[in-house]
Amino acid sequence: MKAMTLLAALLLAIALPVQAADYPGVTQGDFTIKDFRFDDGAILPQLKMHYRTLGAPVRDASGTVRNAVLVLHGTGGAGDNFLSDTFAGVLFGPGQLLDAHKYFIILPDSIGHGGSSKPSDGLRARFPRYDYADMVRAQYALVTEALGVNHLRLVTGTSMGCMHTWMWGETYPRFMDALMPLACLPAQIAGRNRMMRRMIIDAIRNDPAWHNGDYTQQPREGMTNAIDILLFMTSDPQHWRQQYPTRDAADAYLHVQVGKRLAEYDANDMLYQFDASRNYDPSGELDRIQAPVMAINSADDQVNPPELGVMEKATKRVKHGRYVLLPISDQTQGHHTHSLPAIWKGYLAELLKQSQR
């Protein structure tokens, strides 16, 4: 399956790669964790974690890395999602907030995603049923063991990566200087968000062609239904109305997008990716977080609707927490606003200033 984010891929314009001259060359690698034990007790003899980095780590006199930035992708994605004009082109270039000539940027592919170990590699439905806690532990092993990083300047992430960011703050509270979760809630996934995920899972499992994961061809009907659900829930009504103002334009866009994703996605990978959120619930340990937190959502995000009031209550329990709700504008794009730093980079600048040593 081509490594791309299921959620971010629904952006109406596909961003072009940043010119290599804009930042140091991207280094790619694989780190193998032997006998990785999942939270449910399953053991994978070799868990591969693929990653990309930009720049180089810088240590202070005590040997502590002071410039490492961990950026975590969304559901179905990979680290290369951030190597785009709209993300890297706004943050990683010379003189920008996360200038890769100064910072050591770490872009991992989480378990079940991109170039890391995943069901479609061969085990299919016999792949261990990973969850977010497993994914965060594997990220930590990659950062500390493979890359030798003993401290992070910043942890940030989009959507699923946003949820992982909250978990990093609770699990390793003194390991980072700052946290910036983008487009999620620090609470159990419930209500409509959970129903969306269950609909996607059931659409795949209930397709007769799925054959308990041992399909010979992708289960087209189930995958089509799953993609339709995802398109609908992560859409931005205002932006889509502007871009596709007629019946024919809307129909044509839907046809192209569904067809493209059917050719790119793997059913087992997609099922596992959405199932992985089942145990997520950082709400009980928010007071463990020590680093300053700048949590950002957008008012037109249907996945995390602001009227729920979850963020206001949650951030009051974070010692140095701040919640920013971006108002709807011509620039916001619903849930996908998480990948448009041109809109929220001012808040990142505040967070970096607030947390600098």
Side-chain angles (χ1 to χ4, degrees), residues 164-181:
H164 289 175
T165 299
W166 285 107
M167 295 177 68
W168 265 85
E170 292 184 356
T171 309
Y172 313 105
R174 299 191 182 280
F175 197 80
M176 71 291 294
D177 294 331
L179 297 156
M180 192 170 193

Side-chain angles (χ1 to χ4, degrees), residues 185 188-200 229-230 232-235 237 274 277 298-308 310 334-335:
L185 301 176
Q188 184 182 81
I189 295 177
R192 189 174 63 175
N193 192 335
R194 171 59 187 175
M195 293 179 196
M196 173 193 72
R197 294 164 192 270
R198 189 74 221 189
M199 290 175 188
I200 290 171
I229 293 163
L230 190 60
F232 186 78
M233 276 298 297
T234 61
S235 64
F274 281 93
S277 64
S298 54
D300 50 1
D301 183 354
Q302 297 183 89
V303 179
N304 304 291
E307 60 266 26
L308 298 179
V310 172
H335 189 64

Side-chain angles (χ1 to χ4, degrees), residues 48 114-124 127 266 269:
K48 182 179 71 171
S116 295
S117 295
K118 55 187 180 294
S120 63
D121 290 339
L123 287 177
R124 298 192 173 193
F127 192 86
D266 176 81
D269 287 348

Side-chain angles (χ1 to χ4, degrees), residues 272-291:
Y272 268 73
Q273 288 158 3
F274 281 93
D275 181 58
S277 64
R278 65 191 178 277
N279 297 326
Y280 171 75
D281 186 2
S283 62
E285 297 188 319
L286 291 170
D287 57 352
R288 284 180 50 81
I289 299 174
Q290 301 298 314

Side-chain angles (χ1 to χ4, degrees), residues 17-91:
V18 182
Q19 295 296 318
D22 289 345
Y23 53 70
V26 177
T27 298
Q28 296 195 53
D30 292 313
F31 172 57
T32 299
I33 307 173
K34 294 184 179 180
D35 296 323
F36 185 86
R37 181 179 292 273
F38 294 80
D39 274 1
D40 67 358
I43 297 175
L44 194 65
Q46 292 190 330
L47 174 68
K48 182 179 71 171
M49 291 291 291
H50 188 72
Y51 63 91
R52 297 165 183 81
T53 62
L54 294 80
V58 175
R59 300 178 186 274
D60 63 15
S62 69
T64 302
V65 175
R66 292 298 181 189
N67 70 331
V69 175
L70 179 64
V71 188
L72 303 168
H73 63 76
T75 302
D80 64 355
N81 297 141
F82 300 110
L83 299 178
S84 65
D85 184 58
T86 52
F87 199 94
V90 175
L91 292 181

